[in-house]
């Protein structure tokens, strides 16, 4: 398809693409569901399942209260989208690569850490919570994981120890998932003007692309790539904004300028994934428009009976102060307040102002699994087939 696209003019190409999509879709669903032998994930807090808790301070209670009934290294009251992906492809929840206790890597590993960016940032986690494990470092972790597990698998004799390790041949039969980029934008909103940020997006995307190419060279074949969400709809973006100017917010109360940057990032990401598809002849690359799923929920909260999407379930966020979920802090009148959870997290979209509730994550999962928001439009169950 790559050659045809390049040599033919726009109109004909569009027709051919359309036919291919329709045929591809029919063909994909006739095939048997993929049997992924593992799951390897790269990302930030949207898909961290214990990385940042292992490397730094554990995420506190009441994170985890809905599903795990204890804090479980996730920035949510329960499961994150990656957990639903694992369930959907029939694999156990992923252990964080950085977790040294109780980890089981037989079916993959999670390299994501809360606060991660694609580009390396020149700041420490103690300033604004940016993780030192940027995507390039997560790739190092992957490479080390792969080479060490190969050695170990051959060395260890006990079935118990072996059952904690992936088989070497399973790496190329695994699904490689990505959900990263949101923090590159949040750092940029803090440190750059719009023009500088626009000029930087190609470099961010190019570093993402290098990571995918690298994994492909290492044998990875199936890639499931989430685009970045509507960052301007996160309640945290609005905490300190009083009396916004006309046009600053869109009709759903989201910061339009920030969402526009996310949309530009996603446009370039999608183009790059299309290019990668031509460059990597054996790769099945699925670009997933998670942005639309997330924005879709925000625009449907009223009709579907959810709480106001700008209301935060966990934490104290009022005119007289902000105390984060699970933290203690002093508000204007001098009282100490605990950032507690609301009574009904299942009705909330936002868990802590930055991250979604398990309920919202589950809703997003149901939107993206059937492929209606993917390019090509294949369901998760068929993401191993190259169209
Ligand atoms: C970090 O610093 C290095 C060296 O000064 C520079 O090349 C790089 O662009 C900086 N990264 C960011 C994201 O600002
Ligand atoms: C690790 O997980 C795999 C898959 O769920 C399971 O078969 C194996 O028994 C587990 N190993 C241990 C030691 O728990
Ligand atoms: C301070 O404000 C909080 C929240 O409005 C309130 O619950 C508390 O009673 C106040 N404390 C004092 C000492 O006024
Ligand atoms: C995919 O799932 C969503 C959410 O359940 C639904 O609205 C949509 O119609 C489905 N699309 C297809 C092609 O099945």
């Amino acid at each position: 398809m790559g050659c045809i696209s390049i040599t033919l003019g726009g109109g004909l190409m569009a027709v051919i693409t359309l036919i291919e999509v329709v045929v591809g879709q029919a063909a994909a669903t006739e095939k048997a569901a993929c049997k992924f032998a593992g799951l390897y994930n790269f990302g930030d807090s949207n898909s961290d399942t214990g990385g940042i808790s292992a490397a730094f301070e554990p995420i506190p209670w009441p994170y985890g209260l809905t599903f795990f009934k204890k804090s479980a290294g996730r920035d949510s009251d329960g499961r994150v989208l990656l957990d639903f992906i694992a369930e959907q492809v029939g694999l156990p929840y992923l252990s964080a690569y950085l977790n040294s206790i109780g980890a089981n890597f037989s079916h993959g590993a999670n390299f994501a850490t809360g606060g991660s960016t694609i580009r390396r940032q020149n700041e420490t986690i103690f300033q604004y919570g940016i993780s030192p494990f940027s995507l390039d470092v997560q790739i190092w972790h992957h490479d080390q994981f792969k080479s060490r597990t190969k050695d170990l698998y051959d060395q260890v004799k006990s079935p118990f120890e072996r059952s904690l390790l992936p088989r070497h041949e399973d790496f190329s039969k695994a699904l490689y998932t990505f959900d990263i980029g949101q923090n590159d934008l949040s750092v940029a909103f803090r440190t750059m003007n719009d023009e500088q940020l626009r000029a930087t997006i190609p470099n961010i995307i190019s570093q993402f692309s290098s990571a995918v190419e690298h994994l492909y060279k290492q044998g990875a074949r199936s890639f499931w790539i989430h685009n970045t969400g509507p960052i301007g709809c996160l309640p945290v973006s609005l905490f300190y904004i009083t009396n916004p100017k006309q046009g600053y917010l869109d009709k759903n109360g989201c910061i339009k300028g920030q969402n526009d940057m996310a949309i530009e990032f996603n446009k370039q990401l999608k183009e790059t994934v299309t290019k990668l598809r031509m460059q990597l002849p054996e790769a099945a690359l699925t670009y997933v428009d998670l942005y639309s799923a997330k924005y879709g929920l925000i625009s449907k909260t009223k009709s579907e009976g959810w709480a106001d999407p700008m209301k935060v379930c966990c934490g104290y966020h009022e005119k007289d102060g902000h105390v984060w979920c699970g933290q203690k802090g002093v508000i204007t009148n001098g009282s100490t307040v605990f950032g507690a959870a609301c009574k009904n997290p299942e009705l909330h979209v936002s868990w802590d102002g930055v991250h979604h509730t398990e309920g919202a994550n589950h809703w997003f999962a149901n939107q993206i699994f059937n492929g209606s928001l993917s390019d090509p439009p294949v369901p998760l169950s068929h993401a191993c087939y190259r169209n």
Side-chain angles (χ1 to χ4, degrees), residues 89-260:
V89 300
L91 294 173
Y93 299 140
L94 285 193
S95 295
Y97 167 74
L98 293 169
N99 210 342
S100 47
I101 299 167
N104 182 338
F105 297 116
S106 64
H107 287 93
N110 190 0
F111 303 101
T113 64
S116 285
T117 47
I118 294 173
R119 293 210 308 169
R120 240 182 250 175
Q121 303 296 330
N122 299 317
E123 40 183 86
T124 90
I125 194 166
F126 303 107
Q127 291 170 284
Y128 297 97
I130 292 302
S131 165
F133 311 112
S134 46
L135 183 57
D136 55 338
V137 179
Q138 293 182 24
I139 293 290
W140 286 339
H141 287 174
H142 163 272
D143 291 357
Q144 154 127 269
F145 176 87
K146 196 174 172 197
S147 64
R148 290 200 62 209
T149 53
K150 181 176 170 28
D151 292 349
L152 263 177
Y153 197 90
D154 297 338
Q155 277 165 29
V156 299
K157 297 280 177 288
S158 94
F160 173 84
E161 278 182 82
R162 273 203 170 168
S163 81
L164 297 170
L165 300 170
R167 292 178 307 169
H168 200 61
E169 61 269 29
D170 285 349
F171 282 93
S172 60
K173 297 179 203 146
L175 180 65
Y176 290 75
T177 55
F178 301 80
D179 192 322
I180 193 162
Q182 182 170 305
N183 293 314
D184 292 84
L185 295 182
S186 73
V187 171
F189 294 150
R190 163 158 62 70
T191 57
M192 293 178 192
N193 64 30
D194 281 7
E195 201 186 327
Q196 289 166 325
L197 171 50
R198 274 185 197 278
T200 303
I201 292 175
N203 180 259
I204 302 174
I205 301 289
S206 134
Q207 295 197 27
F208 178 86
S209 181
S210 303
V212 171
E213 286 173 65
H214 177 91
L215 291 171
Y216 182 84
K217 282 193 198 113
Q218 293 278 309
R221 288 298 177 261
S222 304
F223 300 87
W224 179 263
I225 300 165
H226 292 167
N227 70 4
T228 199
I231 187 169
C233 300
L234 300 179
V236 65
S237 312
L238 293 149
F239 282 168
Y240 301 98
I241 289 168
T242 46
N243 304 322
K245 282 205 199 91
Q246 183 90 33
Y248 187 72
L249 302 180
D250 70 10
K251 64 178 192 303
N252 290 302
C254 306
I255 300 177
K256 199 173 171 306
Q258 293 193 352
N259 282 353
D260 285 345

Side-chain angles (χ1 to χ4, degrees), residues 288-358:
V288 183
D289 186 10
L290 186 54
Y291 182 104
S292 291
K294 290 185 171 179
Y295 197 85
L297 179 56
I298 284 153
S299 60
K300 280 180 206 146
T301 43
K302 273 213 184 84
S303 59
E304 294 205 356
W306 294 75
D308 175 351
M310 296 302 159
K311 281 262 181 320
V312 174
C313 171
C314 185
Y316 182 92
H317 298 286
E318 301 291 341
K319 286 200 179 69
D320 60 356
H322 290 278
V323 181
W324 288 98
C325 178
Q327 306 288 329
K328 267 187 197 152
V330 179
I331 58 173
T332 313
N333 71 4
S335 323
T336 299
V337 171
F338 177 69
C342 63
K343 293 250 154 30
N344 41 11
E346 70 284 358
L347 297 181
H348 284 258
V349 173
S350 182
W351 164 245
D352 62 2
V354 179
H355 308 100
H356 296 291
T357 56
E358 164 170 296

Side-chain angles (χ1 to χ4, degrees), residues 367-382:
Q367 294 291 311
I368 63 171
F369 286 170
N370 66 12
S372 56
L373 293 176
S374 298
D375 174 48
V378 284
L380 176 62
S381 58
H382 289 72

